[in-house]
Amino acid sequence: MEVALVGAPNCGKTALFNAMTGATAKVGNYSGVTVERKVGIATTPEGRKFSVIDLPGTHSLRARSPDEEVTRDVLLGQRKGERVPDMILAVGDATNLRGALRLVSELKKVGLPIVMILNMIDIARHRGLQIDHEALSAELGIPVIPATAVRKGGLDLLWQTVDPLLKAGLAEPQPSSWEVPSTHDMRVAMREAERLVNAHVIRPPEPDTVSAKIDRVVLNPFAGPVILLAILFVMFQAVFSWAAPFMDAIDAGFTWLGGIVTAVVPEGLVQSFLADGIIAGIGSVIIFLPQILFTFLFILLLEDFGYMARAAFLMDRIMGRAGLNGRAFIPLLSSFACAIPGIMAARVIDNKHDRLTTILVAPLMTCSARIPVYTLIIAAFIPNRTVLGGLSLQGLVMFGLYAAGVFSVLAVAFVARYVFAREERHAPLMLDLPDYKMPILRNIALGLYQRARIFLRRAGTVIFWATVVIWVLSTFPLPPEGATEPAINYSFAAMIGKFIAPVLAPLGFNWQIAVALVPGMAAREVMVAGLATVYAVGGESGLVHLLADQWSLATALAVLAWFIFAPQCISTLAVIRREAGSAKWMWVAVGYMFALAYIAAFLTYRIAVALGAG
Ligand SMILES: Nc1nc2c(ncn2[C@@H]2O[C@H](COP(=O)(O)OP(=O)(O)OP(=O)(O)O)[C@@H](O)[C@H]2O)c(=O)[nH]1
Ligand SMILES: [Mg+2]
């Protein structure tokens, strides 16, 4: 048995999916969170099992964008090797019934048994909406069940309906009579939905005023952007100071571990492998976990509160001028975590060139893998003091790096507009602004847990192996008898580094940086692990001091500039290739990003040297 969840964006399908199956898929208070189908197994209280398919949100089966096509194709059985589901759970936002009912009228034509769910009934009740779901059910000829996906017991009524339904056996599916609705059909269906709402819903005299009141301030053309900037600013300040004690603790932990290994394991290759290779390498990356989690704590809170959709609205004008589709905001926002989900989220964009542009610029957003590199260099070169009356200088520089990422996204998109010779469109962003909601603690906790898991899994796989490779390369061949220089100078790593170094010398990069950049293609954080191994220092504080000592400020700034642009992530490139549908675009991304990285690092280095930072 297979049941598909279908409904408008942001009506709570994924929340419902999680509640039914115990899954932990991403939910967020904005449209377009889910862009792919996802399957899970639900068990009813009486022990019946069935699969549930979570689908991207859509207002109509008249699909416009790749994510909506997924929903249409699943329902109409147009996906290869996949059978049509046995039943549709039509999810509607109880506070916005009209659209939901219109979609149901379309879904009924598909010919499958339907159960309609009035989700977010808690919010509807809180606002004083009274929905006569029994009368609605009688008129629609399908069960209509109120539910609250995010509260315990919020699905009781659903289970009470589903169990007997399954016991009795579902109706045979009828052949689909769905056809692409014309604008006229849509209008007729909308009027019918309007009639149903007027007949069966008693609305409070006052509509939701809290959201409207907040929006009057945060969407104000003058105050809005200032508030947005202020929020981001406070975020970076807070992240820097709150994460510090946790990072120190992790650092101390790894230093202690390294100390034990050095004490217990006799001096030699094994000791060096464990202490300088594994512990120093992985430790130097894991230490950044607190910072990543604090950054996401803010992002998740703002998402769940409903502010991010407002931020999209505020950015729409600026993004439009740069030639980005307003719907690119969410993909770009996701890219703060990692460009890969960001690139996938670009499926919500219907225009092909707009989508391609978004895919190509998404890797320029400051992903969380850059945080370790940025933080390390900032810690080594930017004094830890406050400026302008209480602002942390280090937080300020981090903010600047994020801003540089955003700015370069806009600039590249602007150029791409001319390359693709796209006509400029003034169509305003058709974005549903969700109502504000108190963030749900469970959502936030899940989101953080998932970020932590992804990060630690990377540390255990890609970063671990890259560290092993770097250690091997920097240890062998062993130095000859009576060698006078440090052992690493005789190693393969030194040979490789010195081979590449001339290309990077104009940027002020030494051969150690060159060595760390190569495995850094596997993942950006590996660069940090690589430096820790190449310089054979344990603990992050050790690395910080060493870099401050070994690099000039100009070199450090040039490395930062490099990391804003360089495509140092093979997985992202693979996803670009898949989502853009050809290797050509992947190479375009590689080419333009390396070119920008080289130019930016070169200019930064030269200017810094000219200003006396060499
Ligand atoms: N108060 C309340 N909030 C809910 C309920 N169901 C979902 N939410 C919240 O509504 C927001 C949207 O939920 P999602 O499950 O991501 O919505 P979706 O339909 O999957 O959205 P898309 O994947 O974008 O189509 C999230 O912030 C949820 O926490 C509910 O019954 N009550
Ligand atoms: Mg979803």
Side-chain angles (χ1 to χ4, degrees), residues 10-15 27-28 32-34 57 119-120 122 149 304 443:
N10 207 42
C11 67
K13 296 174 298 301
T14 304
V27 299
V33 180
T34 309
N119 192 34
M120 311 218 189
D122 55 328
D304 219 35
N443 284 355

Side-chain angles (χ1 to χ4, degrees), residues 7-16 18 26-35 54-58 91 118-123 147-151 303-305 437-438 440 443:
N10 207 42
C11 67
K13 296 174 298 301
T14 304
L16 205 62
N18 288 347
K26 176 160 173 72
V27 299
N29 193 6
Y30 53 84
S31 304
V33 180
T34 309
V35 293
D54 184 25
L55 291 168
T58 183
V91 187
L118 301 180
N119 192 34
M120 311 218 189
I121 202 74
D122 55 328
I123 301 179
T148 307
V150 292
R151 298 260 182 279
E303 271 183 8
D304 219 35
F305 179 54
K437 291 199 193 81
M438 270 320 271
I440 293 170
N443 284 355

Side-chain angles (χ1 to χ4, degrees), residues 61-417:
L61 292 185
R62 189 175 71 163
R64 288 286 169 84
S65 51
D67 62 326
E68 296 176 350
E69 284 168 12
V70 172
T71 302
R72 181 197 65 199
D73 292 348
V74 166
L75 287 186
L76 301 180
Q78 291 170 348
R79 263 171 92 93
K80 264 186 260 122
E82 199 175 308
R83 52 188 207 93
V84 182
D86 302 284
M87 183 164 96
I88 296 176
L89 277 186
V91 187
D93 173 351
T95 63
N96 183 11
L97 256 190
R98 209 166 54 135
L101 289 168
R102 207 209 55 68
L103 179 61
V104 166
S105 74
E106 231 183 283
L107 292 175
K108 278 166 85 175
K109 300 209 176 86
V110 174
L112 299 170
I114 304 184
V115 170
M116 183 175 187
I117 297 182
L118 301 180
N119 192 34
M120 311 218 189
I121 202 74
D122 55 328
I123 301 179
R125 291 208 178 116
H126 184 76
R127 278 202 213 136
L129 281 167
Q130 290 173 34
I131 304 173
D132 187 347
H133 65 270
E134 280 159 3
L136 255 183
S137 161
E139 197 155 349
L140 290 169
I142 56 175
V144 177
I145 309 166
T148 307
V150 292
R151 298 260 182 279
K152 234 187 149 86
L155 300 190
D156 288 352
L157 223 51
L158 172 65
W159 294 127
Q160 281 167 30
T161 314
V162 167
D163 246 329
L165 207 70
L166 295 183
K167 195 149 135 201
L170 291 176
E172 277 298 305
Q174 304 296 311
S176 164
S177 63
W178 182 83
E179 278 171 4
V180 182
S182 67
T183 317
H184 175 72
D185 298 338
M186 301 276 273
R187 217 174 286 133
V188 171
M190 204 57 174
R191 267 204 298 274
E192 169 63 8
E194 186 96 55
R195 186 189 66 76
L196 284 171
V197 170
N198 289 334
H200 304 299
V201 181
I202 301 174
R203 265 175 284 209
E206 283 281 314
D208 173 36
T209 50
V210 179
S211 288
K213 270 189 198 140
I214 300 179
D215 277 349
R216 219 165 308 147
V217 182
V218 302
L219 295 182
N220 177 292
F222 300 103
V226 176
I227 293 174
L228 175 60
L229 264 182
I231 289 177
L232 295 178
F233 203 75
V234 168
M235 170 171 141
F236 286 109
Q237 294 286 323
V239 163
F240 249 83
S241 42
W242 293 355
F246 296 93
M247 295 176 66
D248 290 344
I250 298 180
D251 190 24
F254 275 99
T255 310
W256 175 78
L257 205 64
I260 291 192
V261 168
T262 328
V264 172
V265 183
E267 203 165 317
L269 276 183
V270 179
Q271 189 203 64
S272 153
F273 176 71
L274 292 176
D276 306 334
I278 306 289
I279 295 178
I282 297 197
S284 65
V285 173
I286 287 193
I287 185 170
F288 296 100
L289 184 62
Q291 213 164 30
I292 289 172
L293 292 186
F294 274 115
T295 309
F296 283 97
L297 177 66
F298 274 92
I299 294 184
L300 290 168
L301 278 174
L302 290 173
E303 271 183 8
D304 219 35
F305 179 54
Y307 183 74
M308 284 309 186
R310 272 74 186 183
F313 184 82
L314 289 171
M315 289 296 289
D316 183 43
R317 273 250 304 282
I318 301 173
M319 289 179 34
R321 269 207 211 122
L324 276 170
N325 187 308
R327 301 196 84 184
F329 183 82
I330 294 299
L332 293 177
L333 181 74
S334 316
S335 303
F336 275 140
C338 169
I340 292 171
I343 290 168
M344 287 177 52
R347 292 184 190 174
V348 300
I349 300 171
D350 44 9
N351 180 287
K352 224 178 106 206
H353 277 154
D354 287 358
R355 178 161 169 248
L356 191 56
T357 307
T358 309
I359 290 175
L360 290 177
V361 298
L364 294 174
M365 294 296 281
T366 307
C367 65
S368 52
R370 284 175 174 94
I371 292 180
V373 181
Y374 287 174
T375 312
L376 173 70
I377 296 178
I378 287 177
F381 290 93
I382 309 296
N384 183 12
R385 60 185 169 88
T386 54
V387 289
L388 306 173
L391 294 176
S392 134
L393 185 60
Q394 297 187 333
L396 212 58
V397 172
M398 194 65 155
F399 179 76
L401 286 165
Y402 272 77
V406 172
F407 181 77
S408 57
V409 162
L410 296 176
V412 172
F414 187 74
V415 173
R417 192 170 94 192

